[in-house]
Amino acid sequence: MPSPSFERIDYSVRTNKNIERKMVFERLASLSSVFKFGDYRYVGLGSMWFVDFVMAHRLLGIEDLWSIEEANPERADFNRPFKCISVRPGSSNKVIREMADADWAKSLVVWLDYDSAFDDDAKDDCRRLLERITPGSVLIVTVNGTKGGYKPKGDPAAAKSINRLRELFGDAVPPTALSEGAADITADSFPEVLSSTILNFMTQAVRTSGRSTEGYPDRFVPLFRLRHLDGAHMVTVGGAVVSWRQLQPLEQLTNLNVDALLAGGWLLQDILDIVPITLKEKFALDRLLPSAEADFAAAFAASGIKLDQEQAVKYRRLYNRFPVFSEMAT
Amino acid sequence: MANGNGVKRAHAEPTKDFFIRMITRDISLRDCIVDLLDNSVDGARRTAKIATPGVAKPSLAGFDATIRMSNDEFSIKDNCGGISLGDAVDYAFHFGRRKDAPKDVEGTIGLYGIGMKRAIFKIGRKARIESRHKDDRFVVVVDVDTWETQTDKEGRQDWDFNIDALEDAQPIGTSIVLSALYPTVAASFTDPTFSNELIRTIARDYAFVIQQGFKVNVGEVAVPDYGYRIKQSADLAPGVIEYEDNGVKVRIVAGLIEELDVEVPDELKPEKTERFGWYVICNDRVILAADTSEHTVWGNAGFQVWHSQYNGFAGFLFLSADEPDKLPWTTTKREVDVGNPIYLRAVVKMKELTKLFIAYTNERKVDPDAARLVEASAPSVGLETVKTAAPIRFPTISAPSTGVEYTTIQYRRPKAEIKKVAKALGNASMAAREVGRRTFEYFKKMELGE
């Protein structure tokens, strides 16, 4: 039986995850003129490390944070970095199901960072949240997007990942999920199909709940579609449930019309799969940056850094978010 | 108001509000769109018939319709011949089909004279209908708010729409563009799952039209040929009944189905349970799909109700008539008029076939594994190839001679524990029954060496 993920992984030092987290909170912070995060509650799965909680508190100014912890709530409580974080014992299913009316009245940023594949429990969590969170609330989900984790309920011998997606999501699976004549989704394209499918499912969950503000249906605006690779392919998708009143300021802020916003025009999309690089390589690369893409290629070739060009180009794009970890003597 | 004899008369004039806000409640948004598609198919049939006189069922190859949906606009555009100016003036915009409407095409789908208007009223407040016919071109612009209040010189309700000439060089066909969408409609149009559901519905309901060459696009997606199939072998064959009843051709095909055509993308196939039951098809348009209710045979007048053990059975009732008003469809074309005598007589025959199938489901219980093997080995053939009347045929299953006796083990464990075991078995979403079976097999292998 595998141990809980916090016993295997120190989440604060996973490079790609670390970059992704920064990108997510930066994007949320950019929406501060529309969403007054200071009055929000952050709900996450803080584990023992609370890395996202620190960012929610510092970057968004959120002062009311809930960490859902099933495996070891006492240890989590000991480790919480701020007084304003409260550990809610139980599964996300249980904690969300038991939320009181007063909890639902508060605007939320929820990041359900599961370390497993998307399943019926995750679907329940998302649906319940999307049906009730106040307009302006944000839901983000991180799940394992590796094809092998998606097998239909019956006999795995004939298992096709497309059938598992159909079983879980029905019409949310895009008609283009399978390339022509293919029997199943390829392992390479699976994370992208899964991302589209979950975002479609979220849009559907908001629409079919019939929720509305002053007679106008609330909408789901997709905001995140990220992938990071730290061992497994993890996908992070999510967006905001907004009322018609919030659509207009979003249009102004993003310079996009409603159609484009709802179709994912404001999606933060990226694939974060930088390999670990040494401190020496990092400093050498940093000395070349910032630099335009065309200039960088030449400068890199002349630098003598023995990294793949492809990795260097990726680094160039993300260098100012790239973390440095060091040992600390206490 | 009293007449000369002092007898009062009750007002029975219709109101526009009834058409704008009431009859639109009887139909789903999806079915309204499908109604507009019916007009395109009828146009294609009309044009094909004129082009190839004497051919009973001309090919519809080359005809297509494209549906587009966004937050601000809906459109359907086809190349199916357009509406002639004469038809537009006298019939196309009339509420309800006029008695003197020309019967220019046989075997059409549209018959009530309500589909287009109802779709406009259901979807938005503004419409622009452009028609490019071989003889003339015109445009009708409808502003529902203005139309609702417009009156004639005497102050009476004015029901008419203005028709203006259209002068351009665009290809022949009809274009309907709807805007000022209702908010819930706009929300549906921006939800990809609505569009996917529409594609699935069109694939299923227009399969027999698409097989004739007609093409439908929803956005950038071409609706695939659904390809209904049925199992046929020496041991297993569908029952086929054919007859004519007062000008309606009736054809009933029933038997076991397996998989849908491999060419159809998997994600457009309905889930298994959505495939089984009875289908009713009027003039090639599927009206009821995979019905398991009393609208067909199940639980109808004391007949056996549907049971999941019947998963695998499908029956198809095809009704075709040159005069569409003889067919038992309702205005939404999503239900059958269950009191229609032609339909009632067909249901009697459908029950006969279903009874034989139910009897087989009982007979096969003596050795379901053997039965399953025979059923699985029977190939599937396209429904259109099953043409001649034939009795339904099932394999003969006899009790196995090995004398193995079976019993059932049942127990409860916490859901979370089962999930953990399922994950360790390689599939976190494995059904609990399968987890039980595999752990039993594992024990046998490890402890008994079997």
Side-chain angles (χ1 to χ4, degrees):
Chain A
M1 198 61 53
S3 54
S5 63
F6 62 78
E7 289 180 4
R8 287 175 282 128
I9 301 143
D10 175 351
Y11 281 106
S12 53
V13 296
R14 303 178 90 182
T15 308
N16 290 311
K17 174 84 183 168
N18 181 294
I19 296 171
E20 177 186 277
R21 207 182 285 115
K22 285 175 187 158
M23 291 171 78
V24 166
F25 281 100
E26 281 167 18
R27 174 49 65 93
L28 286 174
S30 77
L31 298 169
S32 295
S33 62
V34 183
F35 304 135
K36 305 294 174 205
F37 290 118
D39 303 326
Y40 277 51
R41 169 178 292 154
Y42 181 78
V43 179
L45 310 178
S47 184
M48 302 303 138
W49 311 100
F50 297 95
V51 193
D52 49 335
F53 285 69
V54 174
M55 297 183 94
H57 185 53
R58 285 188 184 153
L59 285 172
L60 303 182
I62 298 181
E63 295 185 345
D64 174 0
L65 307 95
W66 276 16
S67 180
I68 300 172
E69 176 56 41
E70 187 175 21
N72 196 341
E74 292 80 14
R75 190 177 159 202
D77 191 62
F78 177 83
N79 282 299
R80 65 195 163 92
F82 302 114
K83 193 173 77 174
C84 55
I85 297 174
S86 125
V87 173
R88 318 298 293 194
S91 66
S92 54
N93 235 235
K94 175 178 174 286
V95 172
I96 294 166
R97 198 171 53 236
E98 292 174 357
M99 273 166 62
D101 287 349
D103 297 323
W104 287 112
K106 195 148 188 171
S107 295
L108 307 176
V109 172
V110 184
W111 190 343
L112 298 174
D113 191 348
Y114 305 108
D115 58 356
S116 54
F118 198 98
D119 60 9
D120 287 318
D121 287 339
K123 196 165 108 179
D124 276 357
D125 288 348
C126 291
R127 195 182 284 285
R128 201 168 266 132
L129 286 163
L130 292 166
E131 283 169 0
R132 283 197 74 179
I133 45 178
T134 57
S137 293
V138 174
L139 171 64
I140 307 165
V141 174
T142 300
V143 290
N144 191 321
T146 307
K147 182 186 165 183
Y150 294 81
K151 293 174 183 166
K153 286 189 174 161
D155 181 5
K160 281 187 191 170
S161 63
I162 180 80
N163 291 345
R164 175 60 179 159
L165 293 188
R166 287 285 304 167
E167 191 174 273
L168 268 173
F169 297 106
D171 285 322
V173 181
T176 50
L178 284 185
S179 42
E180 217 174 315
D184 198 6
I185 307 166
T186 62
D188 282 352
S189 58
F190 189 83
E192 289 309 313
V193 173
L194 180 69
S195 300
S196 302
T197 303
I198 300 175
L199 287 170
N200 288 350
F201 157 75
M202 288 177 168
T203 304
Q204 183 191 38
V206 171
R207 175 176 70 87
T208 57
S209 70
R211 53 176 300 159
S212 62
T213 303
E214 296 153 31
Y216 291 90
D218 294 338
R219 300 296 193 85
F220 178 77
V221 177
L223 294 175
F224 302 103
R225 188 192 171 124
L226 298 164
R227 259 166 81 180
H228 74 269
L229 185 70
D230 284 323
H233 281 282
M234 303 299 289
V235 305
T236 295
V237 291
V241 175
V242 300
S243 72
W244 70 279
R245 283 187 181 278
Q246 290 158 330
L247 272 174
Q248 202 193 354
L250 272 179
E251 280 183 278
Q252 282 170 353
L253 180 77
T254 60
N255 220 2
L256 293 168
N257 65 23
V258 175
D259 249 324
L261 269 177
L262 300 176
W266 194 239
L267 268 177
L268 177 65
Q269 302 194 65
D270 219 321
I271 298 174
L272 307 163
D273 56 354
I274 299 186
V275 296
I277 62 173
T278 66
L279 209 53
K280 191 168 178 182
E281 286 163 344
K282 177 185 158 50
F283 289 148
L285 284 165
D286 284 347
R287 284 167 65 92
L288 308 177
L289 294 166
S291 163
E293 198 173 343
D295 302 336
F296 178 73
F300 174 72
S303 71
I305 305 168
K306 304 296 175 202
L307 263 180
D308 278 353
Q309 167 107 4
E310 189 193 345
Q311 288 298 328
V313 169
K314 279 181 189 167
Y315 181 83
R316 177 197 150 267
R317 206 163 47 81
L318 300 163
Y319 79 100
N320 54 7
R321 295 192 188 90
F322 196 88
V324 177
F325 303 117
S326 62
E327 192 173 17
M328 188 167 66
T330 54
Chain B
M1 187 190 283
N3 67 11
N5 300 325
V7 178
K8 292 186 174 171
R9 289 175 59 80
H11 297 296
E13 212 179 45
T15 64
K16 291 178 185 174
D17 182 68
F18 174 73
F19 287 93
I20 298 170
R21 292 180 193 87
M22 295 298 141
I23 60 162
T24 46
R25 297 182 184 197
D26 297 344
I27 191 165
S28 71
L29 177 60
R30 184 194 67 185
D31 289 343
C32 259
I33 296 171
V34 172
D35 244 344
L36 294 172
L37 197 54
D38 283 341
N39 290 342
S40 296
V41 173
D42 281 349
R45 281 190 176 148
R46 191 177 296 125
T47 311
K49 203 104 183 171
I50 294 166
T52 50
V55 179
K57 226 173 201 181
S59 162
L60 301 180
F63 293 102
D64 60 58
T66 298
I67 294 164
R68 291 186 191 281
M69 299 174 282
S70 72
N71 193 56
D72 301 316
E73 204 174 89
F74 166 91
S75 72
I76 177 166
K77 295 182 184 183
D78 68 39
N79 64 351
C80 302
I83 309 166
S84 76
L85 186 58
D87 277 358
V89 170
D90 293 326
Y91 308 108
F93 291 89
H94 201 271
F95 286 87
R97 193 165 176 85
R98 283 172 51 167
K99 278 264 181 224
D100 60 347
K103 288 175 179 160
D104 59 342
V105 208
E106 294 157 351
T108 49
I109 307 171
L111 74 155
Y112 292 104
I114 192 65
M116 179 174 71
K117 276 85 71 184
R118 180 163 55 186
I120 293 171
F121 296 150
K122 177 96 185 174
I123 292 171
R125 312 284 296 172
K126 285 190 162 69
R128 181 179 174 90
I129 301 116
E130 294 177 357
S131 167
R132 295 172 180 86
H133 185 259
K134 66 181 171 53
D135 300 326
D136 26 53
R137 294 167 175 237
F138 67 84
V139 56
V140 174
V141 177
V142 181
D143 181 322
V144 177
D145 296 324
T146 309
W147 178 81
E148 190 177 6
T149 53
Q150 78 189 19
T151 52
D152 63 15
K153 283 174 194 156
E154 279 82 44
R156 291 176 305 213
Q157 284 191 99
D158 179 2
W159 288 74
D160 296 344
F161 301 100
N162 289 331
I163 301 179
D164 294 310
L166 188 65
E167 282 174 21
D168 64 17
Q170 289 192 44
I172 281 175
T174 307
S175 149
I176 299 173
V177 179
L178 308 177
S179 54
L181 307 181
Y182 288 103
T184 52
V185 171
S188 294
F189 288 172
T190 49
D191 177 351
T193 65
F194 178 82
S195 158
N196 295 347
E197 184 201 344
L198 181 67
I199 292 166
R200 197 160 49 75
T201 304
I202 294 171
R204 185 191 67 191
D205 293 355
Y206 286 81
F208 303 104
V209 177
I210 291 171
Q211 274 174 15
Q212 289 161 41
F214 192 79
K215 290 207 163 20
V216 186
N217 302 298
V218 176
E220 304 309 316
V221 178
V223 177
D225 175 0
Y226 192 92
Y228 287 100
R229 300 175 82 79
I230 198 155
K231 285 186 161 288
Q232 193 170 37
S233 71
D235 301 313
L236 177 67
V240 183
I241 297 174
E242 284 181 319
Y243 60 94
E244 192 152 336
D245 187 346
N246 286 293
V248 176
K249 280 187 199 143
V250 184
R251 182 166 156 253
I252 308 171
V253 182
L256 292 191
I257 57 170
E258 201 186 25
E259 293 175 341
L260 295 173
D261 198 314
V262 287
E263 296 302 317
V264 180
D266 263 16
E267 74 279 8
L268 294 183
K269 284 182 189 171
E271 292 307 302
K272 272 190 171 178
T273 50
E274 290 175 19
R275 296 169 53 212
F276 308 128
W278 274 100
Y279 291 72
V280 178
I281 301 111
C282 290
N283 278 356
D284 292 332
R285 157 85 133 83
V286 176
I287 303 302
L288 274 187
D291 179 81
T292 53
S293 80
E294 74 282 3
H295 289 124
T296 54
V297 305
W298 314 103
N300 174 316
F303 196 82
Q304 172 74 45
V305 294
W306 173 264
H307 190 281
S308 58
Q309 75 183 40
Y310 303 154
N311 279 348
F313 171 85
F316 302 85
L317 168 65
F318 294 92
L319 300 167
S320 3
D322 290 345
E323 296 164 63
D325 58 354
K326 288 192 168 171
L327 300 175
W329 40 18
T330 63
T331 71
T332 58
K333 297 186 201 117
R334 187 54 68 204
E335 285 177 74
V336 284
D337 171 9
V338 290
N340 179 303
I342 293 171
Y343 182 67
L344 287 173
R345 290 191 283 271
V347 169
V348 172
K349 308 269 184 207
M350 288 153 66
K351 283 181 178 171
E352 285 171 14
L353 286 171
T354 313
K355 269 187 204 161
L356 293 170
F357 162 71
I358 292 172
Y360 169 69
T361 61
N362 291 322
E363 284 163 19
R364 76 195 281 286
K365 280 180 184 161
V366 295
D367 193 350
D369 289 332
R372 200 181 153 80
L373 271 179
V374 180
E375 291 158 16
S377 64
S380 297
V381 299
L383 208 52
E384 69 287 353
T385 65
V386 185
K387 286 220 167 14
T388 42
I392 195 164
R393 202 162 61 227
F394 292 107
T396 310
I397 307 296
S398 42
S401 53
T402 52
V404 178
E405 286 187 49
Y406 289 86
T407 189
T408 306
I409 306 174
Q410 202 172 17
Y411 56 91
R412 281 161 62 87
R413 301 301 305 153
K415 202 174 137 191
E417 282 183 18
I418 295 172
K419 202 169 163 183
K420 276 185 194 166
V421 177
K423 201 172 174 185
L425 285 166
N427 180 6
S429 53
M430 187 184 286
R433 191 175 55 177
E434 185 68 14
V435 172
R437 198 182 65 74
R438 283 172 173 250
T439 46
F440 183 84
E441 295 299 328
Y442 178 78
F443 182 88
K444 266 194 349 184
K445 189 175 162 196
M446 298 310 283
E447 298 298 324
L448 311 175
E450 291 177 7

